[in-house]
């Protein structure tokens, strides 16, 4: 599994915790920045992860900001990305199982590192319940994207 990771300054500390978590489990990752707590613009970092996941260079993405909201909104603008803002493990698991989410977003100012890492673990371990109603619904979501985001 290859995971793309990024944050703005508001999620910088949590990104470091997530990278330690991935390293400890030998999970392949790329850190798309930011690389300090200096103020930056969250869409730039969400875009880097979202584009790399949409292009198939990474299986999943994880993006952090202060609330997780700005990076979620930004990542979801990229066709092919289904970013889920999850601050509990049940949502993280269901985002993968039912919605085939391919990007997880988290807010460092919302959840502590312990819970955040449990959420990351739930997201990485769960898989899409492929076939049947969930595939049909995800296909309908993609249809909306095609209708409004055709290049
Ligand atoms: C930065 O102060 C903050 O606005 C950002 O990290 C994020 O929470 C936006 O959604």
């Amino acid at each position: 599994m290859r995971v793309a990771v990024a944050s703005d300054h508001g999620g910088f500390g949590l990104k470091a915790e997530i990278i330690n978590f991935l390293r400890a489990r030998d999970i392949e990752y790329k850190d798309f920045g930011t690389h300090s707590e200096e103020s930056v613009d969250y869409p730039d970092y969400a875009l880097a992860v979202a584009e790399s996941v949409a292009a198939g260079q990474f299986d999943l993405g994880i993006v952090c900001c202060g609330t997780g909201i700005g990076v979620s909104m930004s990542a979801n603008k990229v066709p092919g990305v289904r970013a889920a803002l999850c601050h509990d493990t049940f949502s993280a698991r269901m985002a993968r199982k039912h919605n085939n989410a391919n990007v997880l977003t988290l807010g460092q100012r919302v959840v502590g590192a312990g819970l955040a890492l449990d959420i990351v673990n739930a997201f990485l371990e769960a898989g899409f319940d492929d076939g049947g109603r969930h595939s049909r619904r995800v296909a309908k979501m993609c249809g909306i994207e095609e209708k409004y985001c055709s290049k």
Side-chain angles (χ1 to χ4, degrees):
M1 180 191 296
R2 294 157 305 152
V3 183
V5 186
S7 75
D8 72 351
H9 56 289
F12 176 70
L14 180 54
K15 174 168 69 69
E17 300 271 3
I18 291 168
I19 285 172
N20 287 339
F21 174 94
L22 297 174
R23 271 195 184 145
R25 284 156 186 79
D26 277 332
I27 296 173
E28 194 183 327
Y29 72 91
K30 180 173 175 181
D31 180 359
F32 283 87
T34 186
H35 299 293
S36 77
E37 288 181 338
E38 188 182 331
S39 183
V40 292
D41 297 334
Y42 59 81
D44 298 335
Y45 298 89
L47 179 64
V49 165
E51 284 186 333
S52 75
V53 170
Q57 292 158 357
F58 294 88
D59 302 298
L60 296 172
I62 304 173
V63 197
C64 307
C65 64
T67 60
I69 296 169
V71 289
S72 177
M73 290 178 167
S74 303
N76 275 317
K77 299 292 183 194
V78 175
V81 168
R82 290 174 300 280
L85 169 57
C86 300
H87 285 142
D88 65 272
T89 55
F90 178 77
S91 297
R93 197 173 303 114
M94 297 311 281
R96 292 283 300 123
K97 285 168 71 75
H98 283 196
N99 312 116
N100 201 12
N102 51 14
V103 174
L104 169 68
T105 73
L106 288 158
Q108 177 182 305
R109 298 171 187 159
V110 182
V111 283
L115 175 55
L117 295 180
D118 271 356
I119 291 166
V120 167
N121 192 48
F123 189 79
L124 297 183
E125 284 196 342
F128 181 44
D129 287 346
D130 209 354
R133 66 191 191 282
H134 301 307
S135 294
R136 184 180 70 243
R137 290 163 188 165
V138 171
K140 284 192 177 185
M141 275 203 286
C142 296
I144 296 170
E145 190 173 86
E146 279 163 23
K147 183 175 175 185
Y148 289 100
C149 306
S150 51
K151 290 177 187 170

